Amino acid sequence: MKPYILTIFSALLITSCSVQKKQTENLPVSTTKPIENNAQFFSAIGKKSTFDAVKINSKIDARTGSFIPTLDAVIYVENGQKIWMNLTAVILQAARGVATPEGVKGYYKLDKTYIDSDFGYLNKLLNVNFIDYNSLQNLLLGKTFLPVSDENYKLTQNVQGFNLSSKEIQKITENGKTTEYNISLDYDKDLNLNHVLLTNIRNNDQLEITYSNREILNNESFPKSVKIIIKANKTDEILLENTKFDFSRMETTYSVPANYKKTEIK
């Protein structure tokens, strides 16, 4: 797999992120009412986003074993409709991508290649089988992006907040393919998702995502810091750092330039 592909389309999965920072001072006071029962917890973490659109200016670093320069990114989300991203390196455009409920598209300017695929592309990239547009947007926003329920998960309260752990092996089927996972999700006291760990039972591959440094904007919590770690035959990390959020709509043009060659994940 070309390393730039991992950068472009893993970045479509998250708002803006950096290495998780440990905060010990000036922590926000919890404003969430105490959870009285499990049903209340699951209802709260399943609440849908109500924003219309958000634009995030970010910096992206990828650690894949190959050199990839730090990239500046504009990530734009229209709620439930579209995730668009433009990448530049040293002020020159490097790549552009877009995800819609129909699939993902993107092109890389430096070697004149592009992709046009359903979500099987991102699932293969992340070594999972459950990503569709809705789960992609939830993952991007730092919201619960997996199906969870009181029946299948054990809810435990702790000093940091709450933990959900699968009571038994979770079987997720997508396009006729079933994969078995052990899953753990951690939430803070305000019920914001801050850590997810999925372990593939068959081969012990892992997908780990950490959200931190949240900010309340337009009455919704957005993670300012995120780290994605993909552990398979080797370990890849995607680190991003946001610089600005803007809730106005913008134009998001996308067209593959002439003479570009279609590429596939091998």
Side-chain angles (χ1 to χ4, degrees):
M1 184 196 312
K2 296 182 179 181
Y4 77 83
I5 297 176
L6 184 60
T7 305
I8 296 170
F9 292 99
S10 290
L12 281 171
L13 301 177
I14 42 185
T15 48
S16 50
C17 50
S18 60
V19 178
Q20 184 183 18
K21 300 175 182 177
K22 183 178 181 181
Q23 297 184 343
T24 57
E25 298 179 355
N26 301 321
L27 291 175
V29 176
S30 175
T31 58
T32 301
K33 294 181 180 179
I35 294 298
E36 298 177 355
N37 52 60
N38 286 15
Q40 192 178 65
F41 174 88
F42 284 101
S43 176
I45 66 170
K47 185 178 180 181
K48 294 185 178 181
S49 296
T50 59
F51 72 91
D52 179 51
V54 59
K55 180 179 77 170
I56 307 107
N57 294 86
S58 305
K59 291 186 180 295
I60 303 175
D61 284 297
R63 301 173 182 176
T64 67
S66 301
F67 173 73
I68 300 176
T70 297
L71 298 169
D72 291 311
V74 174
I75 304 171
Y76 174 76
V77 183
E78 286 184 9
N79 192 7
Q81 302 296 318
K82 172 170 51 180
I83 302 166
W84 177 93
M85 187 172 66
N86 189 70
L87 297 177
T88 58
V90 196
I91 76 171
L92 298 175
Q93 186 193 16
R96 182 168 291 181
V98 62
T100 66
E102 287 70 43
V104 293
K105 300 178 181 180
Y107 64 83
Y108 183 61
K109 197 168 185 179
L110 297 184
D111 70 355
K112 295 185 176 181
T113 58
Y114 75 96
I115 68 109
D116 188 343
S117 174
D118 60 19
F119 282 93
Y121 189 96
L122 283 182
N123 281 296
K124 190 170 184 179
L125 181 68
L126 290 174
N127 204 27
V128 295
N129 73 329
F130 53 81
I131 296 294
D132 59 14
Y133 182 85
N134 289 329
S135 60
L136 173 60
Q137 180 173 301
N138 281 341
L139 194 155
L140 174 139
L141 296 173
K143 299 175 72 69
T144 305
F145 56 89
L146 290 159
V148 295
S149 67
D150 193 12
E151 178 182 359
N152 295 319
Y153 283 80
K154 179 181 179 181
L155 174 62
T156 304
Q157 189 166 4
N158 52 45
V159 175
Q160 291 75 31
F162 302 87
N163 172 263
L164 279 181
S165 57
S166 48
K167 293 179 180 178
E168 55 188 25
I169 294 173
Q170 297 298 296
K171 297 181 179 180
I172 299 177
T173 300
E174 181 70 20
N175 294 328
K177 179 183 178 181
T178 299
T179 306
E180 298 181 334
Y181 299 97
N182 276 330
I183 302 173
S184 177
L185 305 94
D186 292 304
Y187 297 81
D188 66 19
K189 294 179 180 179
D190 287 325
L191 308 186
N192 297 310
L193 182 63
N194 58 25
H195 184 259
V196 181
L197 179 62
L198 290 86
T199 302
N200 187 315
I201 298 300
R202 181 178 62 85
N203 52 25
N204 212 38
D205 289 350
Q206 291 185 329
L207 174 63
E208 182 176 10
I209 305 175
T210 301
Y211 302 96
S212 60
N213 301 336
R214 286 182 175 267
E215 185 174 0
I216 304 299
L217 300 166
N218 281 12
N219 298 315
E220 184 161 345
S221 174
F222 289 86
K224 295 175 64 179
S225 302
V226 180
K227 177 165 68 172
I228 292 181
I229 301 176
I230 306 166
K231 298 179 181 179
N233 295 329
K234 64 185 185 73
T235 298
D236 294 316
E237 295 185 12
I238 307 296
L239 312 171
L240 293 86
E241 181 179 354
N242 84 299
T243 57
K244 183 181 179 182
F245 291 91
D246 185 340
F247 292 88
S248 57
R249 280 184 172 257
M250 64 174 286
E251 293 295 325
T252 54
T253 59
Y254 178 85
S255 62
V256 178
N259 301 318
Y260 276 44
K261 181 180 179 181
K262 188 174 183 180
T263 189
E264 305 284 349
I265 285 186
K266 302 300 184 182

